[in-house]
């Protein structure tokens, strides 16, 4: 029985839209928990998902000549607005949205240097209201704003998106934020694209939220249908049939303008399915020339515009080479609203087919706790095994053996690369500023490894991935080989009210994940650079 037949036999689509938690587990307590996270179903069909308050606030921002919005968030709080702003509102006619989902000091400083206090509003987004990254950066931005706004309270330049009653909700009211938007309590972060987490920033940067929601509404109607005509069910069945044929690396290739959408899909798939030793590994293809010659662990989803003949031709080549291909074709960028619904529906149904709860993330908290323990001195990451050229330290974790001799850097990676077997993937966990002069040499190195070995290579920016693929890395199957690349920052910022700095937090997040991966027996090598300079990166 194939996956679509199993969905039909289980009456899965109807049960999903009925918000039936029994779809995901036989355990009564777990059923109740799963059922409490299904509030994302039908969001677009609500009376007004955007809301009058968000529309009115956008008018006030325009009247106040607000040119820049800074969003402080991680994972589900940041990726949907990042996608919407880059695909629908990345033009001079729109205000700029700076999404800060990093603790890299150089990136934070770079954003601050682009801003003027009077024309800047800051959005602090966290469902729980306790996420360390946005709260730490809020303290930085609040102090910065206090020094630049004198004619009105600095708090009027801040707004929050969070759950009602959360610590962030209380902080925002105590510190005079302009407003607080409450998220639906029954919608998890990675399913929150059509809640205030995604729609408030989209409205503020003047994206066409009306058309976005209308696209989502049309897709909701389609995804309620039974059978193969249901776009969400068809995508879920494709992914599961491929996985059961040994093709668990779901490779997403997109038209250029749609490329940011992959970051949102990556989190949704990895964090929802990567647990209890199972999962689907999302692989984002970002090469200028999309590669061919995939091994038998790949399935391909092509997400393209109707007139993208190059990508359509490549899809045909991939099919001819034996890779299963599922094409999603749109005519207008605003149709990403519907794609949020398609992929959310598909992921929930994949959870049913895998026999897991797609709404929890049991391993994410581990790295968070390890970060806190390292900052507070209660825990230490594995010690470096040796240094190369006196300024690059190499650390091995998990089952990897330290070489008897201290090799050159290229040979120092051999224990990791040699450990890879059929079906494994390489994840490059990169803690560097998001600057192409630093990242492009590493991306190219990943392509070389992929071409030479045929293994899938995932390129992940830290700490962003901790709230995304980090769940899969620790909770999924033991198929990952992890190369962590870190650097000492030459710049730093104090975090008001904290005994540690932004750079210390950034370093602790990498060290915490290294310790957690090693504790799970994952194969991991850390390469720690003395400085994040391009010439050092190129030597990796």
């Amino acid at each position: 029985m194939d996956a679509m037949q199993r969905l039909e036999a289980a009456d899965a689509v109807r049960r999903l839209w009925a918000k039936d938690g029994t779809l995901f587990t036989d355990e009564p307590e777990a059923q109740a928990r799963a059922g409490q996270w299904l509030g994302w179903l039908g969001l677009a069909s609500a009376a007004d998902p955007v809301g009058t308050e968000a529309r009115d606030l956008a008018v006030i921002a325009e009247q106040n000549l607000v040119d820049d919005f800074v969003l402080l968030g991680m994972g589900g709080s940041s990726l949907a607005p990042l996608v919407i702003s880059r695909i629908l509102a990345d033009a001079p006619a729109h205000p700029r949205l700076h999404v800060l989902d990093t603790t890299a000091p150089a990136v934070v400083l770079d954003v601050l240097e682009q801003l003027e206090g009077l024309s800047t509003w800051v959005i602090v987004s966290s469902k729980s209201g306790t996420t360390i990254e946005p709260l730490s950066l809020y303290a930085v931005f609040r102090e910065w704003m206090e020094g630049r706004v004198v004619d009105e309270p600095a708090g009027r330049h801040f707004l929050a998106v969070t759950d009602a009653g959360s610590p962030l909700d209380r902080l925002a009211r105590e510190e005079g934020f302009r407003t607080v938007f409450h998220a639906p309590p029954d919608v998890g972060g990675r399913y929150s694209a059509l809640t205030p987490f995604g729609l408030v920033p989209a409205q503020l940067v003047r994206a066409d939220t009306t058309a976005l929601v209308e696209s989502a509404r049309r897709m909701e109607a389609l995804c309620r249908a039974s059978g193969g005509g249901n776009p969400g069910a068809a995508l879920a069945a494709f992914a599961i049939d491929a996985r059961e044929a040994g093709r668990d690396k779901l490779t997403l290739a997109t038209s250029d303008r749609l490329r940011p959408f992959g970051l949102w899909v990556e989190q949704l798939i990895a964090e929802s399915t990567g647990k209890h030793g199972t999962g689907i590994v999302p692989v984002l293809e970002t090469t200028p020339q999309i590669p061919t010659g995939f091994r038998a662990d790949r399935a391909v989803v092509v997400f393209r515009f109707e007139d993208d003949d190059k990508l359509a031709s490549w899809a045909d080549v991939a099919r001819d080479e034996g890779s299963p291909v599922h094409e999603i074709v749109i005519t207008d960028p605003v149709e990403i609203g519907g794609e949020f619904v398609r992929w959310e529906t598909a992921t929930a149904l994949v959870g049913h087919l895998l026999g897991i709860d797609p709404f929890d993330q049991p391993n994410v908290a581990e790295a968070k706790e390890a970060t806190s323990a390292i900052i507070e001195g209660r825990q230490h990451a594995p010690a470096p095994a040796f240094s190369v050229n006196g300024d690059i330290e190499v650390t091995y974790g998990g089952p990897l053996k330290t070489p008897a001799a201290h090799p050159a850097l290229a040979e120092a990676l051999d224990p990791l690369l040699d450990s890879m077997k059929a079906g494994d993937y390489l994840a490059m966990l990169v803690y560097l500023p998001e600057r192409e002069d630093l990242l492009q040499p590493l991306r190219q190195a990943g392509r070389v490894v992929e071409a030479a070995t045929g293994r899938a290579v995932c390129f992940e920016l830290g700490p962003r991935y901790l709230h995304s693929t980090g769940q899969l890395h620790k909770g999924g199957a033991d198929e990952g080989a992890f190369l962590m690349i870190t650097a000492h920052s030459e710049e730093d910022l104090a975090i008001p009210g904290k005994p540690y700095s932004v750079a210390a937090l950034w370093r602790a997040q990498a060290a915490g994940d290294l310790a957690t991966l090693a504790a799970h027996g994952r194969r991991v090598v850390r390469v720690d650079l003395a400085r994040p300079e391009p010439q050092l990166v190129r030597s990796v």
Side-chain angles (χ1 to χ4, degrees):
M1 186 181 295
D2 65 21
M4 184 61 75
Q5 290 172 323
R6 284 152 55 197
L7 288 175
E8 292 176 345
D11 197 17
V13 171
R14 184 197 63 78
R15 291 166 63 196
L16 175 65
W17 285 88
K19 302 184 180 181
D20 181 357
T22 67
L23 187 63
F24 306 105
T25 176
D26 295 327
E27 201 274 310
E29 190 173 323
Q31 289 173 353
R33 285 197 303 270
Q36 291 170 357
W37 291 109
L38 292 168
W40 52 274
L41 290 158
L43 278 174
S45 299
D48 184 4
V50 178
T52 301
E53 186 180 4
R55 289 192 177 88
D56 290 346
L57 189 64
V59 172
I60 293 170
E62 187 171 3
Q63 292 171 344
N64 281 268
L65 304 179
V66 178
D67 297 320
D68 291 278
F69 295 92
V70 181
L71 188 143
L72 311 178
M74 296 298 297
S77 301
S78 64
L79 289 175
L82 182 150
V83 168
I84 295 169
S85 65
R86 290 188 181 176
I87 294 178
L88 299 184
D90 186 16
H94 297 267
R96 295 185 296 180
L97 179 68
H98 309 266
V99 177
L100 272 179
D101 57 351
T102 183
T103 49
V107 177
V108 180
L109 285 165
D110 179 61
V111 169
L112 284 169
E113 289 171 0
Q114 299 177 51
L115 305 174
E116 295 289 341
L118 289 175
S119 60
T120 299
W121 283 4
V122 180
I123 309 163
V124 189
S125 288
S126 168
K127 181 171 178 62
S128 68
T130 62
T131 313
I132 190 171
E133 298 94 341
L135 292 181
S136 297
L137 293 181
Y138 162 66
V140 172
F141 274 79
R142 181 66 185 231
E143 184 177 77
W144 178 88
M145 192 70 74
E146 295 278 4
R148 284 160 179 79
V149 177
V150 295
D151 292 333
E152 63 177 331
R156 301 292 290 169
H157 289 255
F158 292 84
L159 55 138
V161 185
T162 188
D163 277 1
S166 76
L168 175 57
D169 188 15
R170 295 193 297 271
L171 176 71
R173 298 183 188 284
E174 291 166 1
E175 303 211 350
F177 280 30
R178 177 176 288 272
T179 191
V180 179
F181 290 91
H182 290 149
D186 55 355
V187 180
R190 58 188 176 276
Y191 293 81
S192 66
L194 298 174
T195 75
F197 283 113
L199 295 178
V200 168
Q203 188 67 40
L204 291 173
V205 297
R206 303 175 205 158
D208 189 347
T209 56
T210 299
L212 183 81
V213 170
E214 179 55 36
S215 168
R217 187 175 293 122
R218 291 193 297 270
M219 185 62 73
E220 284 182 348
L222 294 173
C223 285
R224 288 177 178 269
S226 59
N230 180 318
L235 178 56
F238 170 82
I240 290 295
D241 285 340
R243 182 183 180 279
E244 292 179 349
R247 297 178 178 271
D248 68 334
K249 312 303 184 300
L250 191 67
T251 301
L252 180 65
T254 70
S255 296
D256 289 344
R257 184 171 174 181
L258 299 172
R259 191 164 291 170
F261 192 79
L263 293 173
W264 180 84
V265 167
E266 182 183 49
Q267 183 207 19
L268 184 71
I269 293 291
E271 200 168 22
S272 297
T273 71
K275 61 198 75 172
H276 309 305
T278 188
I280 292 173
V281 180
V283 182
L284 305 184
E285 283 298 343
T286 60
T287 55
Q289 299 295 324
I290 299 176
T292 57
F294 288 148
R295 290 199 176 189
D297 62 347
R298 299 286 198 111
V300 180
V301 175
V302 172
F303 178 35
R304 66 175 178 85
F305 288 116
E306 188 176 34
D307 61 357
D308 190 340
D309 296 333
K310 175 183 172 183
L311 200 52
S313 298
W314 177 78
D316 291 337
V317 172
R319 286 191 191 93
D320 291 342
E321 291 183 343
S323 295
V325 177
H326 184 88
E327 281 195 86
I328 298 172
V329 181
I330 65 174
T331 59
D332 191 302
V334 80
E335 292 178 58
I336 61 170
E339 294 310 308
F340 288 136
V341 175
R342 182 201 305 259
W343 284 89
E344 288 171 352
T345 304
T347 302
L349 294 172
V350 163
H352 162 71
L353 292 166
L354 290 177
I356 59 172
D357 178 358
F359 308 112
D360 68 353
Q361 48 281 330
N363 301 106
V364 169
E366 292 177 303
K368 294 180 181 179
E369 170 55 30
T371 294
S372 298
I374 285 171
I375 284 177
E376 296 167 7
R378 295 182 283 110
Q379 182 177 343
H380 300 281
F386 54 84
S387 64
V388 177
N389 300 329
D391 57 8
I392 302 176
E393 292 184 331
V394 181
T395 304
Y396 298 89
L400 295 179
K401 303 297 184 184
T402 302
H406 293 176
L409 183 57
E411 289 74 24
L413 303 183
D414 285 346
L416 182 70
L417 298 178
D418 291 346
S419 77
M420 297 183 69
K421 57 189 182 300
D424 283 354
Y425 65 94
L426 175 68
M428 301 176 70
L429 312 178
V430 180
Y431 287 79
L432 293 174
E434 194 169 358
R435 284 174 28 200
E436 280 308 301
D437 62 336
L438 298 178
L439 301 183
Q440 185 56 36
L442 291 175
R443 295 189 201 276
Q444 182 57 36
R447 291 171 194 141
V448 170
V449 171
E450 191 169 63
T453 68
R455 310 292 178 221
V457 176
C458 303
F459 190 92
E460 309 288 354
L461 276 181
R464 174 190 286 161
Y465 77 84
L466 296 177
H467 300 258
S468 175
T469 54
Q471 169 62 46
L472 172 76
H473 297 163
K474 292 172 275 290
D478 186 13
E479 298 177 339
F482 301 98
L483 173 58
M484 180 177 288
I485 300 166
T486 58
H488 291 268
S489 176
E490 296 180 339
E491 302 173 287
D492 203 358
L493 300 95
I495 302 176
K498 297 295 182 183
Y500 51 86
S501 67
V502 173
L505 175 58
W506 190 43
R507 298 273 299 170
Q509 290 180 295
D513 198 46
L514 173 64
T516 306
L517 287 167
H520 277 271
R522 300 314 200 209
R523 296 159 284 166
V524 56
V525 173
R526 175 180 179 175
V527 176
D528 190 26
L529 311 175
R531 297 177 304 278
E533 292 182 354
Q535 63 266 28
L536 291 178
V537 175
R538 291 192 189 103
S539 71
V540 173

